[in-house]
Amino acid sequence: MSIQPWRATCIQMDSKIASNAKTREEAWQIIEENLDEAVRLIETACKSELPPRLVVLPEFVFQGPPRATPVSEWIDRACTTIPGPVTERLAAIARQHDIYIAGNHFEVDPRWPDRYFNSSFLLDAKGEIILRYRRINTASWTSPHDILSQYREAYGEDGIFPVADTELGRLAIFPCGEVSVPELSRVFMMRGAEVLLHPSNEPANARADAAKICRAAENMCYLISTNVSGQIGFSDQERGGHSQIIDFNGNYLAFEGSDAESLAASAVIDIGALQSARRDTNMGNALLRTRWEMYRDYFSAAAFYPVDALAKKAFETYSELSPVHEKAISNLTAARIIRNIDA
């Protein structure tokens, strides 16, 4: 199927933090204000001379992060379902402007009502949810890996590493710091992804920018990364910005250097050019030359962070995760990845 080039735009915007709210009503007033601003900026992008077919919003953009809020309080105060009131509001905008909208918010699943997930999602132009990915690599809230046996039974592998085959190409989504976990992007590529959507909420720095270039180039994928503007969610000092779009060779197609609200990171995505590059037999095709079998045994033997560590009981505060983290450190030490300083 021939896919015509299309435009993507990063919605780099401020995010008010709901974790300071004392009640659910106060928290949802903040969430609604963030939603209003997101809708305003999406509509501005759609009315521009170069309207997008797809927009990406930042991580935590509606609720902000929970910071030190206990799990049960955060669920009661600020979390919601997917689909739910946040995605329903965005779905109306998607239908109105015939666009795809990628975003992120903290989600509660009725299957596990005492936990919440950091969930990224994609709505198609009909307003339907076609992707929902729950962050795997985290030590701050429940990961599917923490309840893997239950999770796999409920959602299968497609629910763990989802890729949507669309009129725009094959799309995957994951948030923020997971861009520094190369295995995740690798798996999405192996499942067919051509475009990696990346809602983020992080300090703008060279390390984060380098990881984004690497994930795009090593997997020969486009990467569309949107960060918050202004203050990031976990800090009162560090700033966001650096929303960017990178092509499958690791080249910048768009880069917003400031930390101001902006729609400037916008570029054309050409899936046909990507597929031609993946078929090329010359030196530029890294996927063609990679010898996957050479690494398989190492990954099969790796067992560091404990799987199903929260299968029996959810945690309420971060300190309760200490035994899990200590076991992970012990496993890394036994594998000689971490030196035993007492020896």
Side-chain angles (χ1 to χ4, degrees), residues 208-245:
D209 291 341
K212 294 165 192 176
I213 292 170
C214 289
R215 299 300 85 82
E218 69 198 8
N219 293 300
M220 299 185 75
C221 290
Y222 286 96
L223 186 138
I224 304 166
S225 177
T226 304
N227 201 12
V228 288
S229 55
Q231 174 185 311
I232 68 167
F234 280 111
S235 171
D236 293 327
Q237 287 81 40
E238 293 183 287
R239 311 287 287 184
H242 284 204
S243 294
Q244 55 198 263
I245 300 176

Side-chain angles (χ1 to χ4, degrees), residues 21-304:
K22 302 301 182 185
T23 66
R24 183 172 178 84
E25 290 72 22
E26 290 178 9
W28 275 87
Q29 182 177 346
I30 293 169
I31 292 167
E32 291 292 346
E33 290 173 2
N34 287 328
L35 260 170
D36 289 343
E37 182 65 1
V39 168
R40 183 185 72 81
L41 290 169
I42 293 170
E43 290 185 330
T44 299
C46 291
K47 294 173 183 176
S48 68
E49 292 183 2
L50 299 171
R53 284 300 322 278
L54 179 149
V55 299
V56 180
L57 293 158
E59 184 191 42
F60 308 151
V61 70
F62 303 114
Q63 300 134 319
R67 293 191 171 182
T69 308
V71 169
S72 60
E73 291 182 23
W74 187 242
I75 290 172
D76 181 65
R77 193 174 301 165
C79 295
T80 187
T81 56
I82 297 175
V86 172
T87 56
E88 287 172 4
R89 179 89 180 272
L90 296 174
I93 301 301
R95 290 190 293 268
Q96 179 183 347
H97 293 285
D98 191 34
I99 60 169
Y100 289 65
I101 300 176
N104 171 280
H105 74 65
F106 287 102
E107 177 199 11
V108 64
D109 186 325
R111 289 180 175 85
W112 300 283
D114 54 352
R115 310 166 190 269
Y116 62 79
F117 298 92
N118 178 351
S119 297
S120 300
F121 57 85
L122 177 64
L123 303 170
D124 68 11
K126 297 177 182 178
E128 297 176 356
I129 296 164
I130 57 172
L131 279 179
R132 179 183 61 187
Y133 167 77
R134 289 163 171 168
R135 182 167 177 164
I136 292 171
N137 301 281
T138 176
S140 300
W141 37 75
T142 298
S143 159
H145 180 261
D146 293 324
I147 51 173
L148 185 58
S149 299
Q150 301 171 30
Y151 201 90
R152 185 168 276 142
E153 182 178 356
Y155 291 109
E157 213 64 21
D158 288 342
I160 299 173
F161 298 107
V163 175
D165 197 347
T166 78
E167 62 182 324
L168 305 182
R170 293 191 289 271
L171 312 177
I173 189 169
F174 59 89
C176 202
E178 287 199 302
V179 77
S180 296
V181 181
E183 293 82 6
L184 180 64
S185 298
R186 210 60 152 170
V187 168
F188 280 132
M189 177 276 293
M190 288 179 172
R191 290 177 62 83
E194 298 162 316
V195 182
L196 303 174
L197 309 177
H198 183 236
S200 193
N201 192 313
E202 62 185 335
N205 56 43
R207 176 182 175 180
D209 291 341
K212 294 165 192 176
I213 292 170
C214 289
R215 299 300 85 82
E218 69 198 8
N219 293 300
M220 299 185 75
C221 290
Y222 286 96
L223 186 138
I224 304 166
S225 177
T226 304
N227 201 12
V228 288
S229 55
Q231 174 185 311
I232 68 167
F234 280 111
S235 171
D236 293 327
Q237 287 81 40
E238 293 183 287
R239 311 287 287 184
H242 284 204
S243 294
Q244 55 198 263
I245 300 176
I246 304 170
D247 74 7
F248 50 86
N249 289 314
N251 299 312
Y252 284 122
L253 299 180
F255 186 93
E256 173 51 72
S258 79
D259 65 359
E261 280 201 338
S262 175
L263 303 174
S266 181
V268 172
I269 307 300
D270 188 345
I271 300 299
L274 178 151
Q275 284 297 332
S276 293
R278 286 184 175 183
R279 288 192 297 268
D280 193 355
T281 57
N282 292 314
M283 292 294 291
N285 189 345
L287 298 186
L288 176 69
R289 301 196 321 274
T290 302
R291 313 303 173 94
W292 313 101
E293 292 80 4
M294 299 297 292
Y295 316 111
R296 186 171 294 147
D297 290 346
Y298 294 92
F299 283 98
S300 295
F304 306 136

